[in-house]
Amino acid sequence: MGALKGRDLLSLADLTTEELQELLQLAAALKAGTLKPKCEKILGLLFYKASTRTRVSFSAAMYQLGGQVLDLNPNVTQVGRGEPLPDTARVLDRYLDILAIRTFDQRDLEAFASYATIPIINALTDLEHPCQVLADLQTMQESFSDLNGLTLTYMGDGNNMAHSLMLGCAMTGVNMRVASPPDYCPADAIVQKAQAIANGRTEVVVTPDPLLAIKGAHVVYTDVWASMGQEALAETRIPIFQPYQVSETLLSHADKEAIVLHCLPAHRGEEITDAVIEGSQSRVWDQAENRMHAQKALLASLLGLV
Ligand code: CP
Ligand code: NVA
């Protein structure tokens, strides 16, 4: 493979469909232990928002590859005191081999990447969360073998998760239905991009109707109603989003074999009930595990180890 050597992953749409499929194959091989690439490289983590899964799964993946990880906590580095982004980018570029950034504005990530020559990975922005979707698609492949022709229904806020899922589904032949309250739909630009990728082969639908959206779905996905940075709005959103809660009743309208995914952290009793997340259709722990395998594949590919 090695096709991604030296590249950035700022959006899932930075990958071609073939490259995405190859990454998923690589992730499966790494999980099975049939491939054991090694490296002595350094991964930096520059996270302006909290993280458990992304931080730890990237770190574990890098250590398992034989590399090192540096946590560039903004509270103890000069970025937190306002050192200009172009300066930080050009300096970190001289020390690190690869850098994962979690921040708010996608434009900051893009600006950072434009000043750095090393691969820059989007570890979540307000616009996208591509690394999560690599693990989501791996988890779906494990449950259904073939992604092509599946239907994924996303319930709730048209946020970063909805955006990257729309792109990932369009790239892999998965029909995608988003059910959101009217003022909380995904960004038009992403909907159009996903529709252009799908090119009529799969549906990319946004609807306010949760029942219409979930009918016969193979994968039911949800995420928090207020993302990081929107905490002050959380209370007011609860009644608006209530009809989109993934409960046993709503789930009963999906396909009988449907699986339930959630990127985590979850707010039980809000976007998902305790019974559903702990129920037999939930695959959230496999999904969380796959963050490590999928990102190991991404690191190995971007570093040219495979
Ligand atoms: N799903 C996810 O990205 O989790 P963290 O915020 O814990 O990294
Ligand atoms: N939409 C959530 C995802 C967290 C992994 C957020 O941005 O906070």
Side-chain angles (χ1 to χ4, degrees):
M1 179 166 150
L4 304 185
K5 186 175 180 191
R7 298 246 301 265
D8 296 322
L9 183 79
L10 308 184
S11 163
L12 206 61
D14 289 345
L15 301 174
T16 65
T17 295
E18 292 71 31
E19 288 167 347
L20 176 55
Q21 300 284 11
E22 282 177 6
L23 269 182
L24 294 174
Q25 274 170 24
L26 179 57
L30 290 167
K31 187 170 184 177
T34 53
L35 201 63
K36 294 184 192 295
K38 286 283 162 213
C39 76
E40 294 178 351
K41 307 279 187 182
I42 302 174
L43 164 71
L45 301 177
L46 182 55
F47 283 22
Y48 294 86
K49 295 177 176 176
S51 169
T52 297
R53 279 144 289 272
T54 311
R55 183 189 297 282
V56 178
S57 59
F58 260 121
S59 303
M62 194 61 181
Y63 288 131
Q64 287 176 13
L65 287 168
Q68 303 288 323
V69 182
L70 277 178
D71 187 353
L72 306 161
N73 184 338
N75 295 326
V76 294
T77 49
Q78 298 288 7
V79 291
R81 295 182 57 249
E83 181 168 6
L85 182 153
D87 297 4
T88 305
R90 283 173 290 184
V91 171
L92 293 181
D93 191 56
R94 304 288 177 108
Y95 303 143
L96 304 171
D97 298 295
I98 189 161
L99 176 63
I101 301 178
R102 169 169 286 201
T103 191
F104 294 85
D105 194 331
Q106 181 81 9
R107 285 169 300 188
D108 287 343
L109 181 77
E110 287 166 1
F112 207 103
S114 75
Y115 283 98
T117 62
I118 57 170
I120 302 296
I121 299 171
N122 181 349
L124 183 147
T125 60
D126 291 346
L127 191 71
E128 272 207 57
H129 196 3
C131 294
Q132 177 68 53
V133 172
L134 295 178
D136 301 342
L137 293 171
Q138 183 179 5
T139 310
M140 288 159 60
Q141 225 161 31
E142 288 170 352
S143 290
F144 297 104
S145 307
D146 195 4
L147 297 177
N148 207 39
L150 293 177
T151 294
L152 182 148
T153 295
Y154 175 92
M155 285 289 168
D157 189 25
N159 61 14
N160 44 11
M161 273 320 319
H163 291 161
S164 291
L165 283 166
M166 290 179 100
L167 297 171
C169 286
M171 290 165 77
T172 53
V174 177
N175 299 297
M176 171 97 186
R177 302 185 201 142
V178 179
S180 300
D183 292 336
Y184 299 88
C185 293
D188 287 340
I190 300 281
V191 177
Q192 283 157 19
K193 198 187 254 189
Q195 282 170 340
I197 294 168
N199 197 21
R201 287 186 300 271
T202 57
E203 58 173 355
V204 182
V205 175
V206 180
T207 169
D209 186 338
L211 274 181
L212 192 73
I214 204 169
K215 199 169 169 15
H218 305 102
V219 183
V220 178
Y221 202 114
T222 191
D223 183 19
V224 290
W225 293 340
S227 288
M228 287 182 276
Q230 303 175 330
E231 288 81 359
L233 305 168
E235 281 297 307
T236 55
R237 289 189 176 193
I238 290 174
I240 300 169
F241 280 88
Q242 196 59 44
Y244 302 85
Q245 182 188 68
V246 178
S247 61
E248 284 172 304
T249 313
L250 191 55
L251 186 58
S252 70
H253 297 274
D255 188 88
K256 275 201 296 295
E257 309 292 323
I259 63 166
V260 175
L261 299 180
H262 190 310
C263 56
L264 305 177
H267 290 184
R268 287 168 166 81
E270 292 187 17
E271 76 276 1
I272 193 162
T273 62
D274 194 51
V276 170
I277 200 166
E278 299 293 349
S280 61
Q281 289 169 276
S282 171
R283 296 289 178 278
V284 300
W285 315 119
D286 293 334
Q287 181 187 8
E289 178 188 333
N290 284 338
R291 295 295 304 277
M292 186 175 65
H293 305 298
Q295 287 156 201
K296 194 190 288 179
L298 181 65
L299 290 168
S301 185
L302 296 176
L303 289 169
L305 308 179
V306 285

